[in-house]
Amino acid sequence: MFYTSISSYYEYIFPLKREKVKFALDGLASNENILDVGCSTGKLARAISEYGHSVIGIDLDKDMISIAKEYENDKLSFYKMNMLDIDKNFSESIFDEILCFGNTLVHLQNNKDVLNLFKKIRLLLKEGGKFKFQVINYEKVLNENLNGLPTIENEKVKFIREYKLINGLIEFKTKLIIKDENKVIKNKIMLLPIGKDEILKLLKEAGFKKINCFSSFSKESFDKSKLPLVIEAS
Ligand SMILES: C[S@@+](CC[C@H](N)C(=O)[O-])C[C@H]1O[C@@H](n2cnc3c(N)ncnc32)[C@H](O)[C@@H]1O
């Protein structure tokens, strides 16, 4: 429900940024196979496929996927799928790169599922293939007792985001105001505030050997005082 209700406004809230596309394309040869996990409306997948790569996007939300599907072509396809089911739907060693941006990973509700996902991703990657993902730096959120993320506001929307720690998970409450429709959509979902050190431990346990952490898609060195955590693992 959370993502269904905001799917038609998603690209106003989170317009695709050039740095994100550049980070995804970085290091790719030509005509590579890419999987975008939690692709939402498919905008990133679409942008990457325009560079000649074959891209598959998956997302749990049917409305997000139906928006994405409008742009399908022979190099771009989308499926409604739980990220924990990727091993059932794709063969081993077929992707050159797997992406999981926009804090999608922390929709899993425990570290065991995160480890499972990391293992499945590693199996789907070709030898030397890269897993690139981005989450919120939850060590900062927890250490500083942050009660939300900065409000996103532009001409079309205002998106207010609150955090509350409950029994080890974060209750993520949002209020989306669509200005020209005079409409307000309120939502709530639980997120796993997994920190960088735990993520690194689980990546190693899943068999990833080379891991780099950044604080932005432009590959600024990791700084614990910044909110984004961007990781590249192979
Ligand atoms: C905050 S959005 C991020 C979307 C996009 N990757 C981005 O960078 O803007 C999180 C997405 O993850 C999807 N999602 C949540 N849980 C999922 C799961 N278990 N399997 C697949 N997708 C999931 C949601 O439907 C939503 O579209």
Side-chain angles (χ1 to χ4, degrees), residues 141-166:
V141 171
L142 297 182
N143 290 342
E144 297 177 16
N145 263 320
L146 297 184
N147 59 6
L149 297 178
T151 294
I152 295 170
E153 184 164 14
N154 54 44
E155 272 179 18
K156 175 85 180 172
V157 294
K158 183 170 183 182
F159 192 48
I160 300 160
R161 303 177 285 179
E162 287 173 14
Y163 272 176
K164 187 173 169 190
L165 190 63
I166 304 175

Side-chain angles (χ1 to χ4, degrees), residues 82-219:
N82 189 323
M83 58 182 144
L84 289 173
D85 291 335
I86 50 173
D87 56 324
K88 298 186 193 125
N89 293 286
F90 301 111
S91 318
E92 289 184 14
S93 308
I94 56 165
F95 293 108
D96 298 286
E97 178 170 277
I98 299 184
L99 308 170
C100 185
F101 294 158
N103 219 27
T104 298
L105 179 75
V106 302
H107 289 71
L108 297 176
Q109 300 285 289
N110 56 66
N111 291 1
K112 196 169 146 257
D113 281 351
V114 173
L115 175 61
N116 256 328
L117 178 75
F118 286 172
K119 286 181 176 167
K120 290 171 191 212
I121 284 177
R122 191 161 140 65
L123 284 177
L124 296 196
L125 281 170
K126 291 180 188 169
E127 188 64 40
K130 279 187 182 158
F131 173 35
K132 299 179 180 176
F133 64 103
Q134 174 250 325
V135 290
I136 294 291
N137 169 15
Y138 282 106
E139 269 156 23
K140 174 180 169 77
V141 171
L142 297 182
N143 290 342
E144 297 177 16
N145 263 320
L146 297 184
N147 59 6
L149 297 178
T151 294
I152 295 170
E153 184 164 14
N154 54 44
E155 272 179 18
K156 175 85 180 172
V157 294
K158 183 170 183 182
F159 192 48
I160 300 160
R161 303 177 285 179
E162 287 173 14
Y163 272 176
K164 187 173 169 190
L165 190 63
I166 304 175
N167 298 328
L169 290 177
I170 282 185
E171 182 188 62
F172 179 40
K173 265 188 173 170
T174 62
K175 187 170 161 188
L176 176 65
I177 300 157
I178 301 109
K179 296 181 179 175
D180 56 2
E181 293 176 26
N182 235 342
K183 189 169 165 185
V184 177
I185 302 171
K186 287 186 182 175
N187 268 314
K188 195 161 76 172
I189 196 167
M190 300 309 286
L191 301 175
L192 179 70
I194 186 167
K196 172 172 150 286
D197 292 346
E198 186 64 22
I199 291 177
L200 296 186
K201 189 181 129 229
L202 298 181
L203 281 171
K204 285 178 193 150
E205 203 174 326
F208 288 94
K209 300 215 159 50
K210 219 176 133 203
I211 305 168
N212 292 312
C213 297
F214 309 101
S215 274
S216 69
F217 286 117
S218 325
K219 293 195 171 184

